[in-house]
Amino acid sequence: MSSSNEAPSNLRDVPLDDGVLSKFPSGTKILSTQRFGTSEWTTTARLNVQYPDGTREDFFLKCAAKDAGRQLMEGEFHAMSELHKWMPNFVPRRHSWGKYHAGNPDTYFYLSQHIEMTNCVPESNQLCQNLAHLHCTSVSPIGRFGFHSTTCEGRTAQSVSWESSWIALFTKLLRLVCTLDLDTNGYWQDLDRLETRIYSYVIPRLIGILERDGRSMKPSLIHGDLWEGNTGTCPKTGDVYVFDAGAFYARNEMEIGNWRCRKIRFTVGCTRGRT
């Protein structure tokens, strides 16, 4: 296998390391790499590898540094693994994640199947049918809401440790958002009062009532960061794929909460009856 210390000229502009190469069978060769895709906080590339038996395969590589990078790469690996378990034709197949053997600061990576995709807005019926199937068929491994690993929405780590009720997990997620806002923008008395009322009155009345008097909600696996930038369409087959997941088990409506934002382009085709 190629060495990270003496990489071929066509590899030198891509952050390749023996840690990545170690994830493939001994004797595998990296034939080519190239920068691929765009990301606000990671470096991405496409690898073409040749296995010892002569077969070739393309992979997608994503890298990020420091503890935040570890959370991103590890979280995406586990999120995509869980999505692939329930909907193998809806996500690129995850391969591995790990840490570079060399470098300062510490750098982490995620490898997955590479699928040629366009970045056009996905066909709405296919996208929504796949989401509905995912939400209906997925089953929480312990019957709770949350996830076994920290996942990220964008680069923000989510507080998704297991909870027995949706109201508990939803409240925890909202508290994290409010804490991040406080750390970024400082204290605002009126907002603090509003947040207290939401926690004390609004959430119990709108969500808590769905878990009282014998009622219950199903924990469904959601993508967790679904917008058109995290979708793609294969030009050969027309199949829609999703990626860059921050998955966890939630009430299924949580999936489409951010579609209300005007910047989300596929909202019009995927929702009806909005006012």
Side-chain angles (χ1 to χ4, degrees):
M1 291 188 294
S2 300
S3 168
S4 61
N5 294 324
E6 296 185 9
S9 59
N10 64 331
L11 304 183
R12 289 175 184 162
D13 68 336
V14 176
L16 203 58
D17 177 89
D18 285 337
V20 176
L21 304 178
S22 69
K23 298 298 182 179
F24 296 100
S26 178
T28 300
K29 297 178 181 179
I30 305 297
L31 300 182
S32 66
T33 70
Q34 64 183 81
R35 300 276 182 176
F36 183 84
T38 58
S39 175
E40 293 292 333
W41 36 78
T42 64
T43 300
T44 54
R46 178 169 60 188
L47 311 184
N48 180 251
V49 308
Q50 184 180 58
Y51 295 111
D53 64 1
T55 59
R56 297 184 180 185
E57 188 172 3
D58 286 338
F59 288 90
F60 176 74
L61 172 70
K62 178 185 291 188
C63 308
K66 302 181 179 180
D67 286 343
R70 179 191 59 76
Q71 282 192 325
L72 280 170
M73 302 302 103
E74 182 179 12
E76 183 166 352
F77 174 82
H78 290 296
M80 295 297 285
S81 297
E82 194 74 5
L83 286 169
H84 189 268
K85 181 175 78 173
W86 296 106
M87 293 286 289
N89 296 321
F90 194 33
V91 297
R93 183 181 68 256
R94 89 286 182 272
H95 182 273
S96 55
W97 83 281
K99 181 182 177 183
Y100 274 22
H101 289 173
N104 185 21
D106 291 342
T107 300
Y108 300 85
F109 65 89
Y110 167 70
L111 275 169
S112 71
Q113 172 191 21
H114 177 268
I115 299 174
E116 290 291 344
M117 302 183 209
T118 66
N119 60 359
C120 61
V121 176
E123 199 280 316
S124 58
N125 286 331
Q126 184 184 160
L127 173 67
C128 292
Q129 286 172 5
N130 284 339
L131 287 175
H133 186 75
L134 171 66
H135 297 162
C136 290
T137 60
S138 57
V139 178
S140 172
I142 62 173
R144 294 189 172 197
F145 296 89
F147 206 58
H148 66 274
S149 175
T150 298
T151 58
C152 298
E153 183 178 10
R155 61 178 174 179
T156 302
Q158 303 183 107
S159 183
V160 292
S161 56
W162 294 111
E163 295 288 352
S164 60
S165 69
W166 175 231
I167 188 174
L169 183 61
F170 182 84
T171 301
K172 186 166 63 176
L173 289 166
L174 183 58
R175 285 187 184 277
L176 175 62
V177 172
C178 293
T179 298
L180 292 173
D181 176 75
L182 176 64
D183 293 342
T184 302
N185 299 309
Y187 178 74
W188 182 14
Q189 187 179 55
D190 289 344
L191 180 60
D192 181 67
R193 289 174 178 170
L194 179 61
E195 291 168 359
T196 299
R197 292 174 182 174
I198 290 174
Y199 299 140
S200 301
Y201 300 105
V202 178
I203 293 177
R205 293 189 65 176
L206 294 184
I207 298 178
I209 195 171
L210 300 177
E211 297 180 303
R212 292 200 300 265
D213 301 326
R215 291 182 287 264
S216 63
M217 289 190 281
K218 174 187 180 295
S220 296
L221 185 65
I222 66 170
H223 176 281
D225 189 13
L226 192 59
W227 63 294
E228 69 271 4
N230 288 342
T231 68
T233 302
C234 177
K236 293 181 179 180
T237 64
D239 292 336
V240 172
Y241 292 90
V242 297
F243 45 85
D244 284 356
F248 58 97
Y249 285 88
R251 174 66 172 173
N252 63 300
E253 287 100 338
M254 185 74 173
E255 187 81 273
I256 61 174
N258 63 346
W259 292 11
R260 296 183 64 87
C261 299
R262 294 184 181 275
K263 69 176 183 178
I264 305 300
R265 291 189 293 150
F266 61 37
T267 297
V268 174
C270 296
T271 59
R272 292 181 299 180
R274 282 184 54 194
T275 57

